[in-house]
Amino acid sequence: DWSSDVCSSDLSLLLSLARPFSLVAAWIGRRALRGALGTGSVLDLRLDGNVGDPLLLLSHLEFAAGRPGVRGVLLQVAGMGWGWATLQEWRAGIQRIREKGVSVVVYAESPGNAALYLSSVADKVIVPPMGEVSLLGVGGQLRFFGPALERLGLEFDVVSAGAYKSMGESFTRRVASPQNREATQLLVEELQAELMSALSLGRGVSESQLEAAMAKGALSPDEALAAGLIDRVAYESEIDEFLKELLGKECTRVDLGQLTKPLSLLRRAERHSRGLPQIAVLHLRGNITMGVEPGGRQRIAPPEVIPALRALREDPMVQAVVLAVNSPGGSVLASDLIWKEVQLLDQAKPVVAYFGDVSASGGYYISAPARAIYACPGTITGSIGVVGGKLVTGAATAKLGIYSEAVGGGPMLGMYSSEEPFDPSQRARFRARLQMAYKGFVERVAEGRKRTVEEIEPMAQGRVWAGASALEGGLVDGLGGLTQALDKARELSKLHGPWSRKDLVVRPPARFWAQFLPGGLLSLLAPQLKVLEPWLSLPPAAEMLLQSPGVALAVMPVEVDLN
């Protein structure tokens, strides 16, 4: 018996101090929902890149789908941009909704791998006549800028700790190293197998038939219908008639987006009015950084996360905590500061980690103290390694007639200067620093996993793993979603009776400016590089290295394209 809400405002505190108000608010909320969700309601929800936190939205959808009068759910799927774990969470959520006797219909105008994977467990899948169905398979995108930087007179001086910590290759090579290619190939093969297995099971189509469809590339809706990938070719305007046919009676579509806030308020009020013991879910998303993120993007920063962890440790109502981590990593220092607070929290009450789409490198670091770690089969994790370096701009600025001269200081004055690469003594010192950070990273993982460093080392070295391989190698304890992580937290906290779930989203303060990349040359070239942005599209790992010269980074090197 649990409810969910976003607890990022002072309203939660007001409700906790005024239980009678909570009772009244819950009664009003239930009455309002009964009015909005009459008999024969179909929850209408558009899934695209603007839905906010997908896990919280899924929680609202499941809660609303369980209300009396709801007969169906219509998901209008567009370019979601979700990763594997999020899709697997939603796929499991659709199955749970159907188990309640609620029909689920998916309408997708041009479904690709992700939309087909998600909709494979729906009752019906609809595509318009001029749509396109693209079952193209899973691929990894490796991009290298080494020759281009050489032509500009730019050089990245990158040092890695871990044979598979390949993030620096983007700036120094023209092709992948054997280790990088090996790890990426295995990762892609695992995710491809998951896609094929899920489609085969969900749609009742053999894998050989799926391979034949995939070999054709883009399919017309009629071809996809013949291949068993979809169920109906129809326009969006024809959906109401189709729903009537499917459900056997007239139905009314209700925009779930208009109910998100009322649902959140109702669930918050119900939770506080009951006064039940709580399991908190702390959602941590984005790069791990000591400061701001360009463009105000989501981040995981000690000044914001540590107070939340301490508040959870001191809250007598919270019996256990689930860390829902979705991060490619970032600063080793920031990761270590958060790691310590998670360790202290786990000493006070059970902590369970749930890994989202990408929970690797620093994302794994901060989760290491958890008593149990759950990941989806498609979660990308591991990458236990450290990398760092700097962009050397001296040769490029000299071509523009710009020179600089160092004056005074000690022998290591120019260690992090952008004017020239590391000299042998500087490189040796920097490498030693990274090796020390890597050693500490592995030791913290070994401590959290209750294994020896020697046992962890084969799974480390910066190598990236999918969830199933991570389970086999002992980096996670089970394959499952947030529901399974909550069940484990309840078990560890010995909660046998009713309890409630409290979701906390840590958001950075609102900012009205963006931080630009460091370096005078980059500022000069910014307008020109903007034109090339769609082609360059540096991965998050590369951006972090640009923003953090000389900083030890625990960051994942590779991206996998699902769509």
Side-chain angles (χ1 to χ4, degrees):
D1 181 17
W2 54 267
S3 60
S4 170
D5 60 89
V6 182
C7 298
S8 57
S9 72
D10 292 335
L11 185 56
S12 297
L13 176 60
L14 292 175
L15 290 176
S16 64
L17 295 176
R19 191 179 179 200
F21 175 78
S22 298
L23 291 167
V24 174
W27 180 82
I28 293 174
R30 284 191 289 270
R31 296 275 297 182
L33 274 184
R34 276 199 295 270
L37 300 176
T39 302
S41 293
V42 174
L43 300 173
D44 189 349
L45 177 62
R46 181 174 177 82
L47 297 181
D48 56 23
N50 300 313
V51 299
D53 191 306
L55 295 184
L56 292 175
L57 181 60
L58 176 60
S59 178
H60 285 313
L61 175 62
E62 290 194 63
F63 179 78
R67 309 301 292 183
V70 175
R71 297 289 306 280
V73 171
L74 172 63
L75 300 177
Q76 300 193 51
V77 178
M80 299 170 292
W82 294 350
W84 273 100
T86 299
L87 288 167
Q88 288 168 336
E89 282 278 12
W90 270 78
R91 199 169 180 272
I94 290 173
Q95 291 175 310
R96 290 192 294 268
I97 289 171
R98 292 184 62 192
E99 289 169 1
K100 297 176 183 177
V102 176
S103 298
V104 178
V105 175
V106 171
Y107 175 77
E109 293 174 348
S110 295
N113 295 329
L116 291 169
Y117 179 83
L118 178 67
S119 63
S120 63
V121 290
D123 289 276
K124 300 294 179 182
V125 182
I126 305 172
V127 174
M130 295 303 291
E132 186 175 87
V133 179
S134 302
L135 180 61
L136 303 179
V138 181
Q141 182 67 52
L142 301 176
R143 184 168 291 150
F144 302 93
F145 300 90
L149 293 175
E150 288 177 12
R151 289 172 189 166
L152 293 172
L154 298 172
E155 174 189 356
F156 261 100
D157 201 347
V158 181
V159 179
S160 300
Y164 289 87
K165 201 66 176 178
S166 55
M167 190 267 286
E169 291 184 6
S170 297
F171 303 111
T172 59
R173 298 176 62 97
R174 65 177 65 237
V175 296
S177 66
Q179 294 93 337
N180 189 3
R181 189 176 296 110
E182 172 198 344
T184 304
Q185 183 63 38
L186 177 60
L187 179 64
V188 167
E189 288 174 358
E190 286 192 62
L191 298 180
Q192 174 71 9
E194 168 65 18
L195 173 64
M196 298 294 279
S197 173
L199 288 177
S200 177
L201 182 63
R203 296 297 307 177
V205 178
S206 70
E207 292 199 18
S208 60
Q209 290 174 299
L210 291 172
E211 289 170 358
M214 190 176 294
K216 296 178 181 178
L219 303 173
S220 70
D222 288 335
E223 289 176 320
L225 183 64
L229 295 175
I230 66 174
D231 301 287
R232 179 71 67 96
V233 179
Y235 289 102
E236 194 272 339
S237 58
E238 300 172 308
I239 289 179
D240 286 329
E241 189 62 31
F242 176 75
L243 290 172
K244 179 181 177 182
E245 175 187 327
L246 177 66
L247 300 177
K249 60 184 298 184
E250 290 285 351
C251 55
T252 303
R253 279 202 258 173
V254 179
D255 185 357
L256 184 66
Q258 302 298 319
L259 298 178
T260 300
K261 288 185 178 179
L263 282 169
S264 179
L265 289 171
L266 169 60
R267 303 179 75 187
R268 185 181 301 155
E270 286 187 342
R271 173 167 58 81
H272 285 285
S273 66
R274 295 173 183 173
L276 299 174
Q278 300 168 359
I279 296 178
V281 181
L282 181 61
H283 296 263
L284 300 177
R285 301 174 63 90
N287 298 335
I288 300 175
T289 174
M290 292 298 295
V292 299
E293 275 287 277
R297 291 180 302 201
Q298 276 191 296
R299 69 190 185 205
I300 303 172
E304 296 146 12
V305 174
I306 288 177
L309 292 169
R310 290 176 178 171
L312 290 172
R313 191 172 78 209
E314 296 166 2
D315 189 338
M317 294 296 294
V318 173
Q319 305 300 303
V321 177
V322 173
L323 299 181
V325 181
N326 201 333
S327 171
S331 162
V332 169
L333 173 58
S335 300
D336 194 63
L337 294 176
I338 295 172
W339 166 85
K340 183 59 179 178
E341 292 299 326
V342 174
Q343 184 187 58
L344 293 174
L345 175 60
D346 185 69
Q347 291 171 0
K349 56 193 67 174
V351 175
V352 175
Y354 159 70
F355 286 171
D357 298 328
V358 176
S359 300
S361 209
Y364 193 97
Y365 197 132
I366 64 175
S367 309
R371 299 189 197 183
I373 299 176
Y374 283 81
C376 291
T379 295
I380 299 175
T381 188
S383 194
I384 300 169
V386 179
V387 67
K390 62 179 180 177
L391 174 62
V392 181
T393 62
T397 55
K399 291 180 180 180
L400 299 175
I402 302 172
Y403 299 88
S404 66
E405 180 178 342
V407 179
M412 292 291 182
L413 172 65
M415 184 168 180
Y416 299 124
S417 168
S418 63
E419 291 300 311
E420 55 189 15
F422 295 118
D423 65 29
S425 63
Q426 292 169 347
R427 181 171 286 103
R429 179 61 184 155
F430 189 56
R431 186 181 298 279
R433 179 183 161 206
L434 293 187
Q435 288 291 346
M436 181 184 70
Y438 174 70
K439 179 175 179 290
F441 190 172
V442 175
E443 288 174 347
R444 282 155 176 69
V445 172
E447 180 184 353
R449 296 280 81 205
K450 294 180 173 54
R451 302 175 71 181
T452 66
V453 168
E454 291 73 24
E455 289 174 315
I456 292 297
E457 191 64 40
M459 297 296 292
Q461 293 292 326
R463 184 157 182 170
V464 177
W465 306 94
S469 294
L471 175 64
E472 185 178 342
L475 293 183
V476 304
D477 298 289
L479 296 181
L482 187 55
T483 299
Q484 285 71 35
L486 285 162
D487 287 342
K488 186 64 176 179
R490 178 182 56 80
E491 174 191 328
L492 292 172
S493 60
K494 297 181 173 56
L495 285 175
H496 301 297
W499 56 281
S500 63
R501 165 180 160 182
K502 175 169 71 171
D503 290 73
L504 296 100
V505 179
V506 180
R507 297 188 176 96
R511 296 185 183 275
F512 300 97
W513 54 277
Q515 180 178 343
F516 295 94
L517 298 178
L521 179 66
L522 290 176
S523 298
L524 288 173
L525 295 178
Q528 290 76 19
L529 292 177
K530 191 72 176 177
V531 178
L532 300 175
E533 186 176 7
W535 182 83
L536 292 175
S537 61
L538 292 177
E543 288 189 14
M544 278 187 266
L545 186 57
L546 279 169
Q547 296 156 20
S548 309
V551 173
L553 297 172
V555 60
M556 196 192 76
V558 68
E559 290 184 291
V560 176
D561 182 15
L562 174 61
N563 294 294

